[in-house]
Amino acid sequence: MRRAFIAALFAVVVLVSAVTAAAPKSLKPRGVMPWMCLERCGNTTYTDIVDTVATLASQSSLIAGVSFERFNLGANSTLVVNSDLTNVAPLLQPHGFTTVAMVSSYPYPPQFLDWMRQVFANPAPFMDALATAMASEGIDGVNIDWEPTAHATAADAEAYAAFLLQLRRRLGRDGRFVSVDVATWNSIWNLTAINASMSADLPGVPRGFVATMNTYALPASLFTKELHTAVTSIANASLLVGVETWPAKLGYSDVEQRFREIANTGVSHVAIWRSPLPYFWWSVVDQWYHRRL
């Protein structure tokens, strides 16, 4: 009887552990997602990074997740871990942030499109390495930021969208989610196909997210145009409207105007390139978050 009880108890523990491990991750239902460029930008030091994390922690109620440089895509479907950058996830996790590791194309080598084609043709090595690294570091989601400089074909764009769907399925097995950055300055981004891949309702797989870079646009009229394109191309629940603190030097009224227009669309997530944010931005974010714009 005692053995049967112990066996039953062990089975329950294993089942609970499995369910907990596979619990789906996602961005919080509403908020901003700041990107952290770390040492790749602006002569950033470790002290700067610690200070930025402290500022983010002070505004945590407004933040849906924090994205940060961590990985790159290499040749032959390889994942490159950027050991020269601060591993910031352990600094963010104690504050309860959803952590979103970037897989970057920086510094934009001319052969990067070839590397993308290699991973499209043979995705398993990259996907498995990424899943292992995310599990090891306790990272919740990934941000695919691939910006090739070579001209992509329509076939490349379709293959990219198909790859993103595969990546959602693969990481979704572990309850982790995928986001991707898009624009229109290269034909690698087929917004219709990417929207279909990222917003598809897949059983047991967290929703995908799409962050727009065209909405970094500086003139107010161009921002309005690009915002309209974003909300008519990407499902509302998957959309991360991108805005930037750098290199643009937006004043308070400029930032307020952008967040007011975003508020009028009903979109719940805004991605901000990059941290640290000028302090007045947080006042506007707070008003947007609490629907006071």
Side-chain angles (χ1 to χ4, degrees):
M1 183 72 172
R2 184 180 177 185
R3 286 183 179 177
F5 173 76
I6 291 173
L9 181 61
F10 178 76
V12 169
V13 170
V14 170
L15 178 61
V16 170
S17 298
V19 170
T20 301
K25 315 288 187 181
S26 187
L27 296 175
K28 293 197 308 192
R30 181 174 177 82
V32 296
M33 186 188 78
W35 276 290
M36 298 184 69
C37 191
L38 305 178
E39 288 89 349
R40 281 187 165 169
C41 297
N43 299 312
T44 300
T45 67
Y46 181 77
T47 299
D48 297 329
I49 292 167
V50 170
D51 289 345
T52 296
V53 171
T55 298
L56 294 175
S58 72
Q59 305 291 340
S60 61
S61 64
L62 308 176
I63 295 174
V66 180
S67 189
F68 47 88
E69 298 278 4
R70 182 58 179 158
F71 306 115
N72 268 61
L73 173 67
N76 301 313
S77 196
T78 56
L79 178 75
V80 178
V81 180
N82 293 305
S83 57
D84 58 324
L85 303 178
T86 294
N87 181 9
V88 76
L91 302 180
L92 295 166
Q93 287 157 342
H95 300 288
F97 287 121
T98 297
T99 50
V100 188
M102 296 175 68
V103 184
S104 179
S105 52
Y106 180 87
Y108 315 111
Q111 66 271 38
F112 190 80
L113 181 58
D114 291 332
W115 296 353
M116 292 180 69
R117 289 166 175 160
Q118 290 163 3
V119 81
F120 299 161
N122 181 30
F126 170 83
M127 290 184 182
D128 290 344
L130 180 58
T132 299
M134 293 175 71
S136 174
E137 299 182 15
I139 293 169
D140 301 315
V142 67
N143 177 237
I144 303 297
D145 183 29
W146 293 352
E147 304 176 39
T149 56
H151 176 71
T153 67
D156 291 327
E158 292 289 343
Y160 189 23
F163 164 80
L164 291 168
L165 185 62
Q166 286 181 280
L167 185 61
R168 283 188 62 206
R169 293 184 189 277
R170 174 62 185 88
L171 297 185
R173 282 162 35 189
D174 303 324
R176 292 181 165 85
F177 70 93
V178 178
S179 63
V180 62
D181 303 338
V182 302
T184 57
W185 60 74
N186 191 303
S187 51
I188 193 66
W189 297 294
N190 178 327
L191 297 187
T192 300
I194 287 176
N195 176 58
S197 291
M198 300 304 283
S199 64
D201 186 9
L202 306 175
V205 174
R207 173 174 289 279
F209 294 94
V210 181
T212 59
M213 295 184 287
N214 276 25
T215 45
Y216 294 169
L218 185 58
S221 58
L222 184 54
F223 171 82
T224 300
K225 175 179 177 293
E226 295 297 350
L227 179 62
H228 175 75
T229 298
V231 298
T232 55
S233 302
I234 307 299
N236 186 290
S238 290
L239 180 57
L240 278 156
V241 176
V243 294
E244 67 176 4
T245 67
W246 183 94
K249 301 297 183 184
L250 300 176
Y252 185 95
S253 61
D254 299 313
V255 177
E256 186 180 49
Q257 171 257 330
R258 281 160 173 73
F259 274 87
R260 181 176 290 113
E261 291 192 31
I262 294 168
N264 290 338
T265 68
V267 172
S268 297
H269 294 103
V270 178
I272 304 177
W273 178 263
R274 56 189 163 107
S275 295
L277 280 63
Y279 199 76
F280 72 85
W281 275 65
W282 290 113
S283 173
V284 180
V285 170
D286 183 84
Q287 293 177 67
W288 167 78
Y289 181 87
H290 290 101
R291 296 179 171 86
R292 294 197 297 261
L293 285 177

